[in-house]
Amino acid sequence: MADYRFPGEWIKDDMVLQENITSEIISRLESFDMIQGDVLVATYPKTGTTWLQELVWLVCNNGDTNKSRSVNLNARIPYLECNIGGESGLEILQRKSPPHLMMTHLRSDTFRTQIEAGKVNIIIGIRNPKDTLVSFYHFYRMNRNLGNFKGSWDDFFELHKTKHILCGDYFQWYSSWLQYKDKPNVLLVKYEDMHSRMPDIIKDVSNFLGKDLPQNIIDDIVRHLSFDNMSTNNMVNRSIMTTFDNKISPFLRKGKIGDWNNYFSKEQSDIIDKSYKTIIEPLGVTLSFE
């Protein structure tokens, strides 16, 4: 099924997009004025976006877990380019007072002007490509907007090989963003590190954003961000979204490292390893696969 196409898809600069992301919105984002103190979370899909968004919001709001359980995450950190419920994340954002918290799945090209201006704080989330693709496969299956993909894992991997996948190729996406990882206004956060040392990651994000959280607040955030709490929190688990069929696969599915071992063949694993070693490692980034 390497020729699979989901309903309404279109392509911009080799990047496959949904119909609820328009060229007009992308054009507006290219000139959107980001100011000092704004925070942009940039992630490829299925790399722990929701987890990282919630972490960033809590750090910026003194660990207010009560509000985070009562206000939908998309209203707190809007998904800039996506039209959800009749308006784009950018429109939601523009009603808010600065500084702004926002997230994107677009490549860095759209935000080149803002990145070069050096005002916005950028937090790039990354996850190892093998677990990312397995999670993406199940997301394709449960998402009605993506046609509830009926193919097998092997079919989906063939789709990846053709680079015809939502938001484009994983390696091309990270090549665009990781070129900026050493800028002082950019922080790279690894999904696997969030698993193994969450308190340290919270402190890293806090320091990066100029926040000084006491230990008891950090402890509260760690508890709040556990997979069990996230998966049962209706403000983050996307259970209310009618386009997602959680009976096929929950939006927050497993949250584990190494699940790819249950899917990848030796040949598929070797293909990813080759791209990882030739594209990601030369950029100075090492990821954990287990």
Side-chain angles (χ1 to χ4, degrees):
M1 298 180 68
D3 60 347
Y4 178 79
R5 303 293 183 267
F6 58 78
E9 72 167 52
W10 63 287
I11 298 175
K12 176 178 172 57
D13 300 328
D14 298 324
M15 186 166 56
V16 179
L17 297 172
Q18 300 178 78
E19 61 184 347
N20 58 0
I21 299 172
T22 67
S23 57
E24 186 268 334
I25 286 293
I26 294 176
S27 179
R28 287 174 61 191
L29 286 174
E30 289 173 341
S31 58
F32 176 59
D33 185 25
M34 295 183 186
I35 64 172
Q36 204 76 40
D38 282 354
V39 180
L40 174 65
V41 176
T43 63
Y44 187 76
K46 308 312 295 179
T47 57
T49 306
T50 300
W51 208 14
L52 185 56
Q53 280 179 277
E54 187 77 343
L55 187 162
V56 169
W57 188 88
L58 288 166
V59 165
C60 291
N61 288 272
N62 200 37
D64 188 352
T65 55
N66 289 326
K67 184 173 182 179
S68 71
R69 291 190 186 97
S70 60
V71 179
N72 191 276
L73 181 60
N74 191 60
R76 291 182 279 125
I77 304 188
Y79 177 8
L80 282 175
E81 63 268 19
C82 194
N83 187 314
I84 300 175
E87 61 181 349
S88 70
L90 177 60
E91 291 167 321
I92 294 173
L93 191 76
Q94 289 176 319
R95 293 201 304 268
K96 294 176 173 288
S97 300
H100 296 120
L101 304 180
M102 51 199 148
M103 64 79 55
T104 186
H105 284 323
L106 295 174
R107 293 198 296 252
S108 66
D109 315 46
T110 300
F111 305 99
R112 184 177 293 111
T113 299
Q114 296 94 326
I115 295 170
E116 291 176 353
K119 295 179 182 179
V120 60
N121 295 306
I122 300 169
I123 300 177
I124 304 170
I126 189 170
R127 183 185 192 183
N128 82 66
K130 295 179 185 179
D131 281 326
T132 296
L133 286 174
V134 168
S135 185
F136 218 164
Y137 164 58
H138 290 290
F139 185 62
Y140 258 68
R141 293 175 57 240
M142 62 88 77
N143 192 335
R144 294 184 178 94
N145 283 344
L146 301 182
N148 289 126
F149 184 75
K150 300 298 192 298
S152 66
W153 157 252
D154 290 339
D155 292 330
F156 184 78
F157 192 81
E158 290 301 309
L159 192 63
H160 158 73
K161 283 170 61 178
T162 66
K163 301 184 179 182
H164 196 93
I165 193 170
L166 180 64
C167 292
D169 176 64
Y170 170 102
F171 296 101
Q172 186 177 359
W173 195 98
Y174 278 108
S175 291
S176 83
W177 277 105
L178 291 178
Q179 64 180 310
Y180 301 111
K181 70 179 179 62
D182 295 322
K183 290 176 68 68
N185 63 316
V186 176
L187 178 69
L188 180 65
V189 174
K190 300 176 184 178
Y191 178 93
E192 293 77 18
D193 287 347
M194 292 174 69
H195 266 275
S196 62
R197 52 185 196 92
M198 179 63 88
D200 293 332
I201 296 301
I202 294 171
K203 291 175 184 176
D204 289 345
V205 172
S206 299
N207 291 335
F208 176 68
L209 297 178
K211 307 293 182 180
D212 185 15
L213 299 181
Q215 188 60 48
N216 66 307
I217 295 295
I218 292 174
D219 293 341
D220 285 345
I221 294 175
V222 170
R223 284 190 290 270
H224 179 84
L225 293 175
S226 72
F227 183 79
D228 287 346
N229 281 337
M230 291 286 288
S231 61
T232 56
N233 181 352
N234 291 339
M235 296 300 99
V236 299
N237 64 15
R238 307 299 199 270
S239 60
I240 61 175
M241 290 190 65
T242 58
T243 55
F244 292 169
D245 190 338
N246 286 277
K247 293 180 180 178
I248 294 177
S249 179
F251 178 77
L252 300 178
R253 193 176 61 91
K254 286 187 176 181
K256 295 185 179 298
I257 305 169
D259 190 40
W260 65 268
N261 286 287
N262 297 315
Y263 294 84
F264 274 71
S265 67
K266 175 65 165 58
E267 178 185 2
Q268 292 167 346
S269 183
D270 288 346
I271 289 171
I272 297 299
D273 286 344
K274 182 178 179 181
S275 295
Y276 170 73
K277 290 175 181 177
T278 58
I279 298 173
I280 301 299
E281 283 191 342
L283 292 169
V285 176
T286 302
L287 302 173
S288 174
F289 289 80
E290 302 293 345

